[in-house]
């Protein structure tokens, strides 16, 4: 036992120690309270959001892509619903076995099987669906339905596929759609204020974006906005009930300026020959016909194509994917002559009364080099009008010889050469308008006078795309006043280029005379495109050209080189009509077609006929 | 009050403050449990039985004189050890741990009983020892504590074994453990921490501690519980989402809503205001215990009240610190609120003993 004194000190010690422990725990209690305060009051908003995100899932609702129309309201591209057989590659182990099992119920073609095998592992990695077969019949659907339990990772669902009603007609102008890349989706989502988190959880399959052509350039416009369904979910991710729906906003329909009828005519006329046709409404700059040939089926590209088919297209010597209309570079050849003529008049080098003796060649005074015309013996004593009608090279060699190259290129750039002339074309090329500094930088050679002389007949380094040639033709037709080109007539964003041309030295009279001589190209008995006269019953102005790929001295030499098709001259023509008040301008290039007047010419006339309903 | 209860010439021993506050807490617990168990009436009914039985048990345990506990403490302690050993031998295994003795109608978690009998036994052993406690007695006490702690730890039940360790050390400390010993052993303890880390903690326990340091590094793994608990508490805000409106609890984001994380449910549904009200009741009980300990009739009673109330306090704080992420998740119920038989009853027993110690005055003082 302990005595009283000790008892008192013991009580005191106990007292102190218990208080110490309580104070220690009181401190912990306060710290806990502080932590709770931080959670519930200071960071309340963060945690409220976290709890909200925890319990909701947003499933995206896809907008319907806008329909694309031609200028008369004909549907060109539409969305077609179809019932598709779809698998989830990421949860299927062996695609071969799976296909075999499916094949016992729904017959897959060899192409469909190949497509599935080729894309299986890629889509599995991306966690995207794989469409095995499209457009299932009612019978196929019901056959699958009763055996569905055997295939937990396979289902039938409705998907919209993008269908171009004229898949070969508008391959390059409208382009095609395809599955978006991860980065595309990210950008679109960012644009539409959707969070990447939603992307991971509920990226809806089957979404398409434009890859080329107008589908690409107007993707923003025809894409629409995603809607969403917001579900309450539990911790296991099970959907409990629908909280809210934000409807998707369908894409706007695109009314293009394209004209289905003339496009059909252009396609038939080119008949898979290599070349391009571009026609425009000169008053608005609206492109009405746009064909690059040969073409390919955009539907096949957009909706699944086996590698074999794709390789065939890629390796085709005619290069069907290449958009010749916007990217093909061709020498303008003799079609450049009206522009050179205007340069001569503008700079007082010549006038309409000026004459020149054409012996069939031009000798460059500096080095005595001979530049030949196309006609042996020449065109005799000719003025500017004759020179255009008969396409005298000598006349324009001589005129170019008298020109300053810097002035000449500046002049030509007004016609759209070396420039981007189209507002909404897909990856247009600007061609090449050469000048001395370009030559020095790229070829490491100084500019020769002979280069300027060659430019006078559109040969040499200069090149232009068919769309630039069409722009040039419209420019001539409209007497130097023109909008930039566009596929959409009432495009609000159109950069209007009222280019009142050149200088006071060119007046209305000059324009009329120029038009007159270009009419003569067809109507005059000496015209280079006289054969076109019979194809129409109204007046058309034109200028043909023949692009020399291999330089030859004589017709006999040419006969030798033309044995190889790829060495034959390109046929080229620009035309506009009906005169005297032209509405449409057209350019046609046919690769290795040899004669601008008689090969490219008929195509141009038929397209104009279709446009003018004659 | 005392007069009213003085029936048939028999004094009824009673502390109205503790009785009312513990009853209040128990009823609040039932209300919270209804929501936390997704309105599971079976769970709430079972819990009500425990609460009712517990309150009665508490009442009856407060009747005997403290001397009854003092003289029988060795026997109670011995029975508890037998139960612990039986658990290790024939206990029911669940989730890789052998913690329960199956009595058919009731499974007893024996470690919850020894959590109470150990401090009473130690108080009985130390109440007449000179100050400061001699080194010999200190070692004897420590060896007893460590044996019991280890018996529980190998079940394994880290949380309860820590509480038992604490309960022993509280008594030793309150009884007058020498400050010199405290100083030396603290240094030794800190130096041996790495050894404990490597030899006494299971890998999953180590992981829990690591997770605590950075729960966001692994939100869907071991840190999931803490993260979801924080979201539940934080999203409760000032006023809470409303009774049974907690999405974290009701959509299964929160784990163990009926036991370890019931506080998160309360915080989510009743907000900071609700949390403060609940804490007020706990603090009231603790302050009352402090008052009773300081005014106890003798050293045995002081030590027992002090030790048992500190176990209660520790359990509450461990649970609260756990759910807000101050300490790792160790599996500790919130007394009188969480669902559970043994742990719930152990606190009714503890408070029964506390009330007995506090309400029996010495005859000579009368």
């Amino acid at each position: 036992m302990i005595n009283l004194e000790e008892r008192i000190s013991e009580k005191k010690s106990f007292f102190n120690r218990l208080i110490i422990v309580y104070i220690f725990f009181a401190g912990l209690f306060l710290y806990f309270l502080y932590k709770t305060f931080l959670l519930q009051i200071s960071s309340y908003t963060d945690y409220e959001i976290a709890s909200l995100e925890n319990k909701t899932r947003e499933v995206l609702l896809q907008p319907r892509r806008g329909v694309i129309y031609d200028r008369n309201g004909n549907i060109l591209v539409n969305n077609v619903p179809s019932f598709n057989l779809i698998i989830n590659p990421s949860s299927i182990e062996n695609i071969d076995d799976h296909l075999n099992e499916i094949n016992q119920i729904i017959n897959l073609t060899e192409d469909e099987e190949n497509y599935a095998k080729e894309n299986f592992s890629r889509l599995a990695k991306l966690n995207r669906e794989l469409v095995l077969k499209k457009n299932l019949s009612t019978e196929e659907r019901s056959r699958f339905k009763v055996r569905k339990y055997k295939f937990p990772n396979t289902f039938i669902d409705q998907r919209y596929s993008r269908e171009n009603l004229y898949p070969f007609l508008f391959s390059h102008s409208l382009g095609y759609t395809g599955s978006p890349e991860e980065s595309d989706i990210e950008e679109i989502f960012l644009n539409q204020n959707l969070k990447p988190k939603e992307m991971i959880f509920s990226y809806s399959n089957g979404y398409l974006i434009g890859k080329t052509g107008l589908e690409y350039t107007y993707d923003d416009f025809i894409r629409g906005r995603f809607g969403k369904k917001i579900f309450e979910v539990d911790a296991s991710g099970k959907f409990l009930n629908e909280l809210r729906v934000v409807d998707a906003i369908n894409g706007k329909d695109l009314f293009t300026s394209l004209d289905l009828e003339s496009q059909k005519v252009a396609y038939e006329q080119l008949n898979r020959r290599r070349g391009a046709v571009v026609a425009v409404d000169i008053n608005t700059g609206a492109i009405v016909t746009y064909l690059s040939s040969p073409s390919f089926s955009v539907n096949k590209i957009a909706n699944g194509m086996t590698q074999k088919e794709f390789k065939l297209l890629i390796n085709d010597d005619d290069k069907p994917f290449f958009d010749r209309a916007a990217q093909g570079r061709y020498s303008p050849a003799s079609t450049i002559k009206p522009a050179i003529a205007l340069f001569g008049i503008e700079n007082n080098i010549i006038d309409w009364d000026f004459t020149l003796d054409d012996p069939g060649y031009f000798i460059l005074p500096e080095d005595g080099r001979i530049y030949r015309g196309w006609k042996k013996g020449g065109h005799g004593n000719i003025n500017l009008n004759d020179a255009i009608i008969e396409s005298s090279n000598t006349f324009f060699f001589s005129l170019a010889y008298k020109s300053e190259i810097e002035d000449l290129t500046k002049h030509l750039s007004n016609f759209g050469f070396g420039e981007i002339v189209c507002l909404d074309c897909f990856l247009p090329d600007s061609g090449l308008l050469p000048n001395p500094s370009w030559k020095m930088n790229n070829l490491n050679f100084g500019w020769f006078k002979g280069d300027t002389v060659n430019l006078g007949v559109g040969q040499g380094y200069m090149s232009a795309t068919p769309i630039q040639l069409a722009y040039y033709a419209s420019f001539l037709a409209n007497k130097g006043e023109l909008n930039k080109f566009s596929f959409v007539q009432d495009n609000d964003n159109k950069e209007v280029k009222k280019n009142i041309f050149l200088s006071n030295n060119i007046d209305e009279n000059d324009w009329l005379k120029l038009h007159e001589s270009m009419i003569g190209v067809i109507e005059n008995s000496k015209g280079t495109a006289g054969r076109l006269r019979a194809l129409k019953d109204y007046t058309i102005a034109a200028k043909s050209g023949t692009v020399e790929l291999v330089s030859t001295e004589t017709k006999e030499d040419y006969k030798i080189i033309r044995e190889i098709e790829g060495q034959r001259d390109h046929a080229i023509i620009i035309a506009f009509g009906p005169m005297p008040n032209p509405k449409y301008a057209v350019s046609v290039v046919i690769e290795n077609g040899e004669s601008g007047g008689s090969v490219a010419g008929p195509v141009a006339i038929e397209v104009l006929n279709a446009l003018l309903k004659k | 009050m005392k007069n009213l209860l003085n029936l048939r010439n028999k004094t009824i021993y009673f502390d109205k403050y503790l009785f009312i506050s513990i009853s209040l807490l128990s009823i609040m617990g039932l209300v919270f449990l209804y929501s936390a168990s997704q309105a599971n009436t079976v769970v709430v009914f079972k819990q009500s039985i425990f609460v009712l039985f517990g309150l009665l048990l508490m009442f009856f345990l407060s009747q005997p004189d403290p001397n009854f506990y003092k003289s029988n403490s060795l026997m109670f302690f011995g029975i508890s050890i037998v139960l612990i050993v039986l658990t290790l031998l024939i206990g029911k295994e669940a989730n890789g741990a052998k913690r329960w003795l199956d009595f058919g109608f009731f499974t007893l978690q024996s470690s919850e009983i020894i959590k109470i009998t150990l401090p009473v036994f130690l108080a009985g052993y130390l109440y007449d020892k000179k100050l400061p406690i001699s080194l010999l007695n200190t070692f004897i006490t420590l060896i007893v504590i460590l044996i019991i702690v280890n018996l529980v730890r190998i079940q394994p039940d880290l949380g309860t074994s820590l509480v038992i360790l604490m309960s022993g050390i509280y008594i030793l400390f309150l009884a007058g453990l020498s400050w010199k010993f405290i100083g030396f052993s603290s240094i030794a303890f800190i130096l041996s921490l790495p050894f404990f880390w490597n030899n006494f903690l299971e890998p999953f326990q180590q992981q829990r501690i690591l997770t605590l340091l950075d729960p966001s590094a692994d939100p869907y793994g071991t840190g999931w519980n803490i993260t979801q608990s924080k979201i539940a508490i934080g999203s409760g805000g000032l006023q809470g989402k409303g009774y049974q409106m907690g999405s974290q609890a009701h959509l299964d984001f929160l784990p163990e809503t009926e036991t370890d994380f019931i506080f998160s449910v309360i915080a989510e549904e009743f907000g900071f205001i609700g949390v403060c009200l609940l804490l007020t009741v706990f603090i009231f009980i603790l302050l009352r215990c402090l008052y009773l300990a300081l005014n106890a009739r003798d050293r045995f009673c002081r030590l027992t009240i002090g030790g048992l109330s500190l176990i209660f306090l520790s359990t509450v704080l461990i649970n609260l610190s756990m759910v807000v992420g101050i300490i790792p998740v160790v599996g500790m119920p919130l007394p009188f609120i969480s669902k559970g038989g043994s742990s719930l009853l152990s606190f009714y027993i503890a408070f029964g003993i506390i009330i007995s110690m506090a309400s029996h005055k010495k005859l000579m003082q009368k």
Side-chain angles (χ1 to χ4, degrees), chain A residues 216-231:
Chain A
Y216 173 84
T217 41
Y218 284 98
D219 194 65
D220 226 15
F221 184 81
I222 49 185
R223 170 194 304 158
R225 289 185 74 87
F226 279 98
K228 46 193 174 183
K229 258 187 190 165
I230 300 165
F231 289 93

Side-chain angles (χ1 to χ4, degrees), chain A residues 10 17 22 40 51 54 235, chain B residues 173 177 228 248 251 253 302:
Chain A
E10 182 276 325
R17 287 178 183 228
Y22 260 76
Q40 297 200 292
S51 127
N54 251 352
Chain B
F173 176 71
L177 183 61
Q228 294 305 327
Q248 285 290 105
L251 298 174
F253 290 100
R302 263 200 291 284

Side-chain angles (χ1 to χ4, degrees), chain A residues 1-2 6-7 9-11 13-15 17-22 25-26 28-29 31-33 35-37 39-41 43-45 47-48 50-52 54-55 57 232-236 240, chain B residues 128 130-131 170 173-174 176-177 179 228 230-231 233-238 241 247-248 251-253 263 267 271-272 275 279 286 289-290 293-294 299 302-303 309-310 313-314 317 320 324 326:
Chain A
M1 273 306 269
I2 50 181
E6 275 180 321
R7 208 177 291 167
S9 79
E10 182 276 325
K11 196 170 177 182
S13 149
F14 176 85
F15 201 101
R17 287 178 183 228
L18 191 59
I19 295 288
I20 288 172
V21 178
Y22 260 76
F25 281 126
L28 285 183
F29 233 110
Y31 181 61
F32 160 78
L33 207 63
K35 276 289 246 191
T36 312
F37 180 85
L39 288 174
Q40 297 200 292
I41 311 295
S43 317
Y44 168 63
T45 327
Y47 284 107
E48 196 199 13
S51 127
L52 211 68
N54 251 352
K55 69 162 185 173
R57 283 284 174 283
E232 189 174 62
V233 291
D234 66 11
S236 64
L240 301 176
Chain B
D128 57 352
K130 275 186 186 285
L131 279 177
Y170 288 147
F173 176 71
L174 293 176
L177 183 61
W179 287 107
Q228 294 305 327
K230 280 181 166 180
I231 292 175
I233 296 168
S235 64
L238 182 67
K241 296 177 182 170
S247 59
Q248 285 290 105
L251 298 174
D252 299 335
F253 290 100
F263 176 81
F272 194 62
V275 168
L279 292 185
L286 289 164
C289 287
L290 178 64
L294 297 179
R299 192 177 177 194
R302 263 200 291 284
L303 289 176
S309 63
L310 287 179
L313 173 55
S314 308
L317 263 178
L320 296 182
V324 296
I326 298 173

Side-chain angles (χ1 to χ4, degrees), chain A residues 358-379:
Chain A
D358 174 4
Y361 55 84
F362 171 81
I363 303 175
L364 187 67
E366 275 80 358
D367 58 4
R369 197 178 152 186
I370 294 169
Y371 293 80
R372 290 178 197 283
W374 63 273
K375 189 174 173 188
K376 210 170 181 183
H379 301 278

Side-chain angles (χ1 to χ4, degrees), chain B residues 96-121:
Chain B
K98 256 189 184 179
R99 297 176 187 168
W100 297 272
L101 275 176
D102 200 340
F103 287 102
F105 63 97
F106 176 61
T107 54
L108 179 78
Q109 197 176 342
S110 50
S111 56
E112 295 289 350
I113 301 301
I114 206 151
K115 174 173 92 182
I116 309 299
T117 55
L118 174 71
V120 176
F121 168 73

Side-chain angles (χ1 to χ4, degrees), chain A residues 167-168 171-172 176 267 272 274 292-324:
Chain A
F168 284 95
S171 321
H172 301 94
Y176 52 86
Y267 182 76
R272 297 196 59 77
R274 279 171 283 113
S292 173
S293 176
S295 56
F296 58 94
S297 166
V298 278
N299 289 346
K300 279 229 154 182
I301 291 280
N303 299 324
M305 180 182 254
T306 62
Q307 247 158 37
K308 204 172 117 199
E309 286 176 285
F310 188 71
K311 267 200 184 130
L312 227 70
L313 276 175
I314 277 280
N315 295 328
D316 189 333
D317 286 339
D318 288 344
K319 294 195 175 6
F321 284 128
F322 182 49
D323 183 358
R324 291 175 163 80

Side-chain angles (χ1 to χ4, degrees), chain A residues 193-384:
Chain A
N193 294 323
L194 298 169
K195 283 161 272 163
K197 192 183 164 195
E198 291 157 38
M199 179 169 116
I200 298 159
F201 282 109
S202 54
Y203 161 61
S204 311
N205 275 295
Y207 183 68
L208 297 172
I209 65 163
K211 295 281 192 183
T212 63
L214 295 187
E215 293 270 25
Y216 173 84
T217 41
Y218 284 98
D219 194 65
D220 226 15
F221 184 81
I222 49 185
R223 170 194 304 158
R225 289 185 74 87
F226 279 98
K228 46 193 174 183
K229 258 187 190 165
I230 300 165
F231 289 93
E232 189 174 62
V233 291
D234 66 11
S236 64
K238 202 171 86 185
F239 284 47
L240 301 176
N241 52 339
E242 198 180 294
L243 297 176
R244 204 155 57 88
V245 181
V246 181
D247 285 325
I249 299 169
N250 287 333
K252 290 181 204 132
D253 294 341
L254 186 66
F255 293 89
T256 68
S257 54
L258 287 162
D259 177 74
L260 178 58
E261 287 312 309
S262 67
Q263 187 79 16
K264 276 182 184 164
V265 168
Y267 182 76
E268 285 158 12
Q269 286 289 321
L270 274 194
N271 192 21
R272 297 196 59 77
R273 284 180 289 177
R274 279 171 283 113
V277 180
V278 176
V280 290
D281 179 332
I282 62 168
N283 291 314
T284 59
I287 299 167
V288 290
T289 315
Y290 184 100
L291 179 73
S292 173
S293 176
S295 56
F296 58 94
S297 166
V298 278
N299 289 346
K300 279 229 154 182
I301 291 280
N303 299 324
M305 180 182 254
T306 62
Q307 247 158 37
K308 204 172 117 199
E309 286 176 285
F310 188 71
K311 267 200 184 130
L312 227 70
L313 276 175
I314 277 280
N315 295 328
D316 189 333
D317 286 339
D318 288 344
K319 294 195 175 6
F321 284 128
F322 182 49
D323 183 358
R324 291 175 163 80
Q327 297 173 337
R329 287 183 165 198
Y330 306 96
S331 297
S334 298
T335 58
I336 199 75
K337 285 170 183 170
I340 304 292
L342 286 172
F343 180 78
I345 293 166
E346 184 193 2
N347 292 287
N348 296 320
I349 302 169
I350 53 164
D351 59 23
W352 292 96
D353 296 327
F354 172 85
T355 61
L356 179 139
D357 266 322
D358 174 4
Y361 55 84
F362 171 81
I363 303 175
L364 187 67
E366 275 80 358
D367 58 4
R369 197 178 152 186
I370 294 169
Y371 293 80
R372 290 178 197 283
W374 63 273
K375 189 174 173 188
K376 210 170 181 183
H379 301 278
N381 188 274
I382 49 168
N383 62 14
L384 180 54

